[in-house]
Amino acid sequence: GATCTACPVGTYKATNGSAACSNCPGNFYSESVAAVSFDTCVECVGNSLAPEGSGDRKACGCVFGFTDHRFGFPDQGDCAPCYEGTFKNFSGPLECTACPANAVSPEGSASISNCSCDRGYVGDGLSDCVACPANQYKDVVGIGV
């Protein structure tokens, strides 16, 4: 007869017989080998996602604009929005990236295009903003003088 093998991490098999193991769905993971129930699949914490069949909690990467501020893996709770003045334009590990010099962005920014020059500075926010020219001022955040 055929040799049975244990379902690998990220999968489970709830029935006896020759059926294949089922993947944990997307946004879930299972670190259990030979799992026999969907109940072994654990949902990723808030603001994080994992691909179908994930076998490790570190597969749950924080979504765009969010980080756990501890290298991108949600070890201690939900992923939190990127701080003001930063952005993150990818999901997964790593920290949020600072806006260019003298630019700001709202909390939870998911793109450098969310960065705007601060008051007193001009530019497009995509590169370093520079001080207003002599005898000019800007008292709002954004593009322009």
Side-chain angles (χ1 to χ4, degrees), residues 23 36 41 45 63 68 70 85 90 119 134 136-137 142:
N23 284 333
V36 297
C41 299
V45 297
V63 298
D68 75 348
R70 290 174 302 281
F90 56 91
R119 291 174 176 86
Q136 295 183 352
Y137 72 96

Side-chain angles (χ1 to χ4, degrees), residues 14 30 69:
S30 174
H69 305 292

Side-chain angles (χ1 to χ4, degrees), residues 37-131:
S37 168
F38 168 79
D39 294 339
T40 61
C41 299
V42 179
E43 190 169 11
C44 293
V45 297
N47 300 308
S48 67
L49 302 173
E52 180 180 318
S54 293
D56 188 324
R57 68 179 165 74
K58 289 185 178 179
C60 298
C62 296
V63 298
F64 285 41
F66 287 80
T67 184
D68 75 348
H69 305 292
R70 290 174 302 281
F71 310 109
F73 295 121
D75 292 338
Q76 302 294 322
D78 291 356
C79 296
C82 291
Y83 296 124
E84 288 182 15
T86 67
F87 67 94
K88 185 170 162 232
N89 58 357
F90 56 91
S91 61
L94 301 179
E95 292 295 309
C96 301
T97 302
C99 287
N102 305 307
V104 295
S105 66
E107 181 180 79
S109 292
S111 171
I112 192 171
S113 65
N114 297 121
C115 299
S116 298
C117 293
D118 206 354
R119 291 174 176 86
Y121 293 88
V122 295
D124 59 12
L126 303 178
S127 57
D128 291 351
C129 300
V130 296

